[in-house]
Amino acid sequence: MLNAIEVILICLVAQAAVTDLAMRKIPNVLILSGLLLALLLHMLSGQPWAPASQWLAGTLAGFFLFLPLYLLRGMAAGDVKLMAMVGAFAGPADALRVAVLAYIIGGVMALLMLLCSGRRRDGWRNLVQIGKPLLLRSLGVPLQPVPLAPGASIGGVPYGLAVALATMVVVALAHR
């Protein structure tokens, strides 16, 4: 049986997924209220170190697990904040599980969107344009990052849906 923290988490990520699909935006009020609610529930759990060990560590884990993809312009800031909120509820270990699964689900969604849009060539061009300087820099060649031209994006992935699906799977697997 699901506990209160899991039920509220599922409701919040479902709302984030619906909003992300409809408006391509995850509202800050949803994230902030989720973070505060998670803190309150952890404080009421009766475990003396839960706010620090679960809430704070989970929030930081969730945030920093998605931050690199945001810095590479692979996702929006709302997706990073949503993952931080999921970590606040779930704790650092489950935040890692959710993030890995969300990366996989998001990657599959991106490939399906790319194949369905008919813009495979544009997608490959963008990947080469972004990846080539990163590869050369990792080999020691000093280069400046090459940003994509405005409008070169072939579309955004509603990562809120990937995070919601991953969260639901992790919660369900915890109760099997």
Side-chain angles (χ1 to χ4, degrees):
M1 181 154 178
L2 298 177
N3 61 37
I5 289 178
E6 293 167 337
V7 170
I8 293 170
L9 174 60
I10 288 172
C11 290
L12 289 170
V13 295
Q15 178 61 47
V18 168
T19 307
D20 198 14
L21 284 170
M23 301 182 339
R24 295 299 183 131
K25 184 173 173 71
I26 300 171
N28 286 333
V29 68
L30 179 71
I31 303 298
L32 184 58
S33 61
L35 285 168
L36 294 174
L37 193 53
L39 178 60
L40 179 66
L41 289 171
H42 282 300
M43 290 171 72
L44 294 174
S45 72
Q47 299 170 355
W49 291 101
S53 67
Q54 293 297 100
W55 184 83
L56 182 60
T59 301
L60 292 174
F63 179 79
F64 285 111
L65 285 166
F66 269 25
L67 186 63
L69 199 53
Y70 168 74
L71 294 174
L72 291 172
R73 297 178 3 174
M75 70 174 44
D79 302 319
V80 178
K81 294 182 279 187
L82 177 62
M83 189 61 218
M85 184 197 73
V86 169
F89 277 92
D94 279 343
L96 177 61
R97 290 180 188 96
V98 169
V100 169
L101 191 54
Y103 275 136
I104 293 168
I105 293 170
V108 169
M109 286 172 43
L111 285 174
L112 290 173
M113 290 174 69
L114 182 65
L115 292 173
C116 292
S117 72
R119 297 186 66 190
R120 290 183 294 272
R121 184 171 293 178
D122 294 335
W124 182 253
R125 182 197 65 232
N126 289 351
L127 184 62
V128 168
Q129 186 177 355
I130 292 171
K132 186 177 177 183
L134 292 173
L135 177 65
L136 291 173
R137 253 185 279 135
S138 69
L139 295 172
V141 178
L143 296 171
Q144 295 296 318
V146 178
L148 285 176
S153 175
I154 58 169
V157 176
Y159 238 94
L161 177 61
V163 172
L165 292 173
T167 301
M168 292 175 194
V169 167
V170 169
V171 168
L173 289 177
H175 290 283
R176 60 177 183 118

